[in-house]
Amino acid sequence: MSAYPPSASTSTAPSSRWALQRFGAATMSGMSDTSTGIARSAMLATLRNVAGLSQQDAADLLDTSVQQLRRWESGAKTPPAGVLADMQDVVDDIDSFADLEAQDYLNDLPDGDVGPIVLLRYRDEDDRALALDSRADHPTDQLGADRGFDLPIVSQAIATWRAAQHLEKAGHTVSIIWFDAREYTQWRDGRPDTMTTRRQWGRLAYARSSR
């Protein structure tokens, strides 16, 4: 089995979570309200950019209006600490998804497999919703939120790309293909909807497209 590169979370480089904690400590040590607002505004915009979200996507995620988000990011209003924490959670979920995805693909490689590792991506919310709907008919399905189902589509794309980079660093060839929920549902024909099943479908779909 290939060695898996260490997670970014184990790096000695400061993470955005660490920066947020440092920011909180600095605030308690006497930052002015104006400085606090500017720092929070910059942090919020930075986290949104790292997550790949538009202002509309972020506003929907935070259950607020685009106008309010713009006021927070411009510094006209100070973003609540809870808003920063919610956006940080998205960034953390991206990192967790990428790490889990890469590790699971390495653990699930067939013996003697020389083909590329095939990662799956959803085209849009409708495609992903169809896949989720298919799970309701199969109580034995084993797909959790840690597999990116609760990430915005664009954030899931970033996470998938990061997983691909992890795998390439481990010496593997990687390909990313679209997940076709309708075709997959027909193909699995009652098989449990697990990540292993999806990876099997992905390898077959890639092989067909490469002929």
Side-chain angles (χ1 to χ4, degrees):
M1 181 181 300
S2 301
Y4 180 62
S7 166
S9 62
T10 63
S11 169
T12 56
S15 67
S16 52
R17 173 72 71 185
W18 177 77
L20 189 58
Q21 291 170 341
R22 288 190 62 217
F23 161 71
T27 300
M28 291 186 292
S29 66
M31 287 178 66
S32 69
D33 290 343
T34 299
S35 297
T36 297
I38 292 173
R40 284 189 178 180
S41 296
M43 181 65 76
L44 178 60
T46 299
L47 290 171
R48 177 177 65 78
N49 292 153
V50 170
L53 299 176
S54 67
Q55 287 186 325
Q56 183 64 65
D57 289 336
D60 292 343
L61 191 68
L62 296 169
D63 195 24
T64 190
S65 66
V66 173
Q67 292 76 14
Q68 180 66 281
L69 181 65
R70 287 173 178 165
R71 286 193 286 268
W72 287 336
E73 291 191 351
S74 69
K77 295 288 185 181
T78 299
V83 167
L84 271 73
D86 288 344
M87 192 58 65
Q88 176 69 59
D89 285 343
V90 177
V91 175
D92 289 345
D93 286 346
I94 289 173
D95 291 338
S96 295
F97 174 84
D99 289 347
L100 285 168
E101 190 82 341
Q103 185 64 71
D104 281 355
Y105 270 86
L106 290 177
N107 291 341
D108 201 38
L109 281 177
D111 292 337
D113 183 70
V114 294
I117 293 177
V118 180
L119 303 183
L120 304 176
R121 262 211 66 201
Y122 292 96
R123 292 181 184 274
D124 51 39
E125 296 287 354
D126 290 339
D127 192 33
R128 183 166 66 179
L130 177 61
L132 291 173
D133 287 345
S134 72
R135 293 167 59 198
D137 298 328
H138 298 271
T140 59
D141 287 355
Q142 302 172 34
L143 294 171
D146 60 346
R147 299 310 177 196
F149 285 107
D150 57 346
L151 284 173
I153 289 293
V154 66
S155 299
Q156 187 181 41
I158 294 171
T160 301
W161 178 250
R162 289 185 183 178
Q165 291 179 311
H166 289 332
L167 291 165
E168 287 176 346
K169 287 179 181 178
H172 297 279
T173 301
V174 181
S175 181
I176 299 174
I177 67 171
W178 293 115
F179 179 78
D180 187 320
R182 293 184 185 276
E183 179 183 316
Y184 167 74
T185 300
Q186 293 175 353
W187 168 82
R188 73 184 180 95
D189 191 28
R191 294 181 182 90
D193 188 15
T194 65
M195 292 311 300
T196 296
T197 305
R198 291 187 177 215
R199 285 192 281 271
Q200 291 171 349
W201 174 86
R203 287 193 289 267
L204 292 173
Y206 176 82
R208 288 196 303 270
S209 67
S210 302
R211 291 172 184 168

